Amino acid sequence: MEAKHDVLIVGAGCAGMRAAIEAFDAGADVALLSKIHPVRSHSGAAEGGINAALGNASEDDPETHAFDTVKGSDYLGDQDAIQILCDEAPGDVYQLEHWGAVFSRTEDGRIAQRPFGAAGAPRTAYAADITGHVLVHVLYEQVMKREIPAYEEYFAWKLVMNDDRCQGVIAWDLLKGGLKSIGAKTVILATGGAGRLYVGTTNAYSCTGDGMALALDVGVPLKDMEMMQFHPTTLAPTGVLITEGCRGEGAYLLNSENDRFLKRYAPNAMELASRDVISRAEQTEIDEGRGVDGNVLLDLRHLGPDRILERLHGTRELSMTFAGVDPIYEPIPVRPGAHYHMGGVDTDVWGLTNVEGLYAAGECACVSVHGANRLGGNALMETITYGKRAGRHAAEWALANTTVEVPPSTEADAQRELKQLLARTQGERPWKIRDELAQTMHENFGVFRREDQMDRQGEIVAALRERFERVVVEDKGHVFNNDLTQALELGFLLELAQCMVVAGIARKESRGAHARPSDFPDRDDEHYMKHTLVMLDDDGRPELEWRDVTVTKWQPQERKY
Ligand SMILES: Cc1cc2nc3c(=O)[nH]c(=O)nc-3n(C[C@H](O)[C@H](O)[C@H](O)COP(=O)(O)OP(=O)(O)OC[C@H]3O[C@@H](n4cnc5c(N)ncnc54)[C@H](O)[C@@H]3O)c2cc1C
């Protein structure tokens, strides 16, 4: 074993860095490990903002925030976890402000808050439309100030299990090559989302669900994996995100007939209905022939150049660069794209999994605060509040427990497996399998789901997994071998896809992101107000279990906007 820590955090986005700061301040020896430089994590791409009931723009309180989140989750979110998020959010946002986050301001100098979808009050604090960028840099400064070491450009490939405890990570050194074992009393997975399962996604290339698959492999269930959120405004043709902040500022959604079609789907909230509702409305318009080249149009023109330049300058640049459209003069072509995984590693409200010493936080975890549909602005808040909580709990546990050991056999097994993979000279390149996976997930497990398509997708994923057994890594080198890491990532993606399909077929209702209009158009609280939990059996096949949703004070109601 080459190194040892009390707390090792895999992933250095908002969740990982916030966890590291908390664990360090609790007195633990902490290290971060990340396959990319921390500030390049996908958190840095977040635009619209972060939700906390500060009550600056109008009356608001954590209770209202919690109710909006419960309703937004289509009653699949655990209400105890949601209450914790909403209660701790204001303090956690002020903490970020005190560390130097340059939030946009109201006239009288308080943190400005914009309206976001399905929120009962303007609740989303923001730094223009680069909120994630600002947060990542503020957190990185705090990490550097504490001199928390980071294994930068290390790819976590396996978790080390010893004595029924997670005791570290085996990682591939991207810069120099070679495997490195790092022992740790506790490991926190903070590896983000898995949007790369889909061809049209807002997610960065690094969002391949690695941590979810690592947890699954050591016996942790993945929860609510069928719940992939489609964001209604992703730019055609790239899938780059156009922030919900545009609609928060008053943008319209139009079809080919210049009609604000949402009046037929969400007559009260209109463009500020929740994401699942708007994505379905858009897809219906497109499917029924009222789209424009497979898109609908997001119109900002009436906001005027001053407001666009002041509050949405990043959006304007993205539109001009990637679609050749200046939103001051023309509407932006948008369509639904895979954006956020509500599901993930099953944890309790301290981020702890069913494996001693193993935690998860941020998008890779499922506590669950988002249930079947996440509200815009709640993901960044979750990374901060639950990153903090996981960091604290992991540090306290580590400080109370002593030994840690990476058994030599674990290292030897990993070396052998890697050698075998690199020794193969004949076979298929990973990208082909990856492209087929992403294309078919989009077709068969997208905004709308049908039993026959999900069945077919199950067969497709099984066939792709077989082909993956013979995948060939052509680059045998040691320095920045992306061919190798992309093959490992593909293995993770295929495992997750299989879990998603199994859970999707089993949920015979429509709830949040899981919409089955042709066979089960309604929500069925009697049978399905339950989380799906997928584990692997001894032969590596997925097994499904159900767990009741935690309800504290909000009984399910019909969800209308
Ligand atoms: C374009 C875009 C805009 C968004 N806008 C908003 C918004 O305005 N408001 C909001 O609330 N939410 C928003 N979201 C969602 C939110 O930003 C993310 O859910 C959140 O930032 C995820 O943070 P994280 O820390 O969990 O993961 P990430 O920031 O994705 O970080 C993951 C980390 O894990 C590391 N990692 C992954 N795999 C490995 C491995 N195998 N080995 C080593 N390291 C690994 C990566 O290097 C990285 O450091 C947006 C998402 C996108 C894609």
Side-chain angles (χ1 to χ4, degrees):
M1 183 168 47
E2 297 169 47
K4 269 191 204 179
H5 301 280
D6 290 332
V7 182
L8 177 65
I9 300 164
V10 182
C14 280
M17 289 199 282
R18 185 63 189 84
I21 294 166
E22 192 72 13
F24 180 92
D25 290 351
D29 160 9
V30 190
L32 284 157
L33 181 140
S34 177
K35 65 181 176 181
I36 50 181
H37 187 279
V39 302
R40 290 188 57 224
S41 301
H42 187 65
S43 291
E47 301 167 18
I50 178 166
N51 290 345
L54 309 175
N56 284 349
S58 72
E59 288 274 300
D60 196 14
D61 54 38
E63 195 77 1
T64 316
H65 185 187
F67 171 69
D68 289 343
T69 305
V70 170
K71 178 180 170 192
S73 81
D74 221 351
Y75 295 90
L76 191 68
D78 285 325
Q79 297 182 9
D80 53 343
I82 291 173
Q83 187 90 53
I84 290 171
L85 177 79
C86 300
D87 286 346
E88 296 186 13
D92 288 347
V93 164
Y94 290 130
Q95 170 81 80
L96 291 168
E97 183 198 29
H98 296 166
W99 280 337
V102 284
F103 288 113
S104 296
R105 297 278 153 182
T106 60
E107 289 291 316
D108 61 0
R110 290 175 299 162
I111 295 176
Q113 292 184 279
R114 57 169 46 132
F116 245 48
R123 182 180 298 138
T124 306
Y126 57 97
D129 54 4
I130 53 164
T131 313
H133 178 85
V134 165
L135 296 187
V136 155
H137 281 270
V138 162
L139 292 169
Y140 191 58
E141 277 169 15
Q142 294 299 319
V143 164
M144 287 201 301
K145 182 175 164 193
R146 289 167 177 76
E147 298 182 9
I148 296 171
Y151 298 93
E152 254 164 44
E153 297 179 328
Y154 277 84
F155 182 96
W157 183 37
K158 295 197 180 285
L159 294 176
V160 174
M161 288 295 291
N162 187 22
D163 232 359
D164 289 331
R165 237 179 85 184
C166 180
Q167 302 209 14
V169 165
I170 295 186
W172 168 257
D173 179 345
L174 290 159
L175 180 59
K176 297 197 230 85
L179 292 177
K180 185 179 180 79
S181 316
I182 306 167
K185 293 181 191 165
T186 57
V187 172
I188 303 178
L189 298 168
T191 53
R196 286 282 145 189
L197 278 159
Y198 288 83
V199 316
T201 178
T202 62
N203 284 197
Y205 281 97
S206 55
C207 299
T208 48
D210 306 5
M212 299 182 198
L214 289 176
L216 183 71
D217 287 342
V218 297
V220 180
L222 298 183
K223 187 156 78 196
D224 297 336
M225 287 302 280
E226 67 280 25
M227 297 301 179
M228 169 61 79
Q229 175 167 76
F230 281 74
H231 193 291
T233 57
T234 74
L235 193 63
T238 54
V240 168
L241 180 81
I242 298 297
T243 172
E244 188 163 318
C246 294
R247 283 171 289 133
E249 296 294 335
Y252 300 148
L253 278 166
L254 305 173
N255 63 15
S256 61
E257 295 159 7
N258 214 26
D259 180 26
R260 277 179 78 189
F261 55 88
L262 282 166
K263 61 177 181 270
R264 281 180 277 116
Y265 303 87
N268 299 316
M270 293 293 286
E271 279 83 358
L272 287 178
S274 76
R275 291 177 172 174
D276 56 337
V277 172
I278 300 186
S279 288
R280 283 196 290 277
E282 289 180 0
Q283 197 61 48
T284 306
E285 292 295 302
I286 294 165
D287 292 348
E288 292 180 357
R290 291 185 297 279
V292 181
D293 299 332
N295 306 298
V296 293
L297 300 172
L298 182 72
D299 195 352
L300 274 66
R301 289 173 294 183
H302 56 285
L303 303 179
D306 291 349
R307 187 127 156 234
I308 294 175
L309 291 172
E310 184 204 327
R311 305 224 184 142
L312 299 165
H313 65 91
T315 301
R316 177 170 181 251
E317 270 173 37
L318 288 173
S319 308
M320 295 201 304
T321 309
F322 292 106
V325 165
D326 182 346
I328 293 179
Y329 304 106
E330 285 171 276
I332 311 171
V334 294
R335 60 186 171 200
H339 180 57
Y340 183 86
H341 219 137
M342 273 79 70
V345 180
D346 175 36
T347 73
D348 70 6
V349 294
W350 289 101
L352 183 60
T353 69
N354 62 339
V355 167
E356 203 166 50
L358 184 62
Y359 295 73
E363 189 169 339
C364 78
C366 181
V367 183
S368 106
V369 292
H370 311 298
N373 174 65
R374 171 176 76 84
L375 299 188
N378 269 357
L380 281 181
M381 198 64 251
E382 185 197 5
T383 64
I384 300 298
T385 298
Y386 278 98
K388 173 194 75 180
R389 290 173 68 86
R392 187 179 312 158
H393 202 277
E396 284 168 3
W397 194 87
L399 291 170
N401 288 270
T402 47
T403 56
V404 43
E405 194 194 340
V406 178
S409 60
T410 313
E411 282 181 29
D413 289 347
Q415 293 286 8
R416 197 173 319 114
E417 198 180 323
L418 187 75
K419 214 167 149 193
Q420 272 172 6
L421 175 63
L422 288 174
R424 200 176 299 146
T425 52
Q426 300 286 316
E428 198 174 357
R429 300 285 304 278
W431 65 266
K432 250 188 114 201
I433 303 175
R434 189 187 61 215
D435 284 2
E436 278 182 47
L437 173 69
Q439 187 65 44
T440 54
M441 284 299 283
H442 221 95
E443 283 163 16
N444 298 326
F445 208 81
V447 173
F448 292 118
R449 288 152 191 196
R450 291 174 33 167
E451 184 107 7
D452 56 338
Q453 285 182 307
M454 289 191 283
D455 285 342
R456 191 165 351 121
Q457 190 58 18
E459 288 161 19
I460 291 171
V461 173
L464 293 174
R465 292 194 78 194
E466 263 185 57
R467 278 162 57 188
F468 180 71
E469 294 295 312
R470 298 183 295 277
V471 79
V472 65
V473 175
E474 280 192 350
D475 182 351
K476 311 291 181 196
H478 269 213
V479 177
F480 279 110
N481 187 343
N482 290 332
D483 203 18
L484 171 64
T485 46
Q486 286 180 17
L488 303 180
E489 289 171 346
L490 175 61
F492 294 150
L493 287 172
L494 286 165
E495 272 193 67
L496 301 184
Q498 134 181 297
C499 298
M500 289 168 73
V501 172
V502 166
I505 293 171
R507 187 178 288 285
K508 298 193 189 307
E509 64 160 352
S510 289
R511 185 186 296 269
H514 189 62
R516 302 181 61 161
S518 52
D519 50 2
F520 300 101
D522 300 319
R523 198 176 79 196
D524 175 357
D525 290 328
E526 194 189 329
H527 299 103
Y528 293 105
M529 213 168 120
K530 290 187 170 110
H531 300 290
T532 56
L533 293 171
V534 183
M535 276 153 295
L536 299 182
D537 69 12
D538 293 342
D539 300 320
R541 280 189 305 254
E543 272 181 338
L544 185 86
E545 280 179 20
W546 298 91
R547 184 193 296 151
D548 286 341
V549 168
T550 306
V551 175
T552 53
K553 52 180 130 168
W554 293 284
Q555 291 304 320
Q557 300 167 8
E558 193 189 347
R559 188 162 152 258
K560 283 199 210 137
Y561 290 102

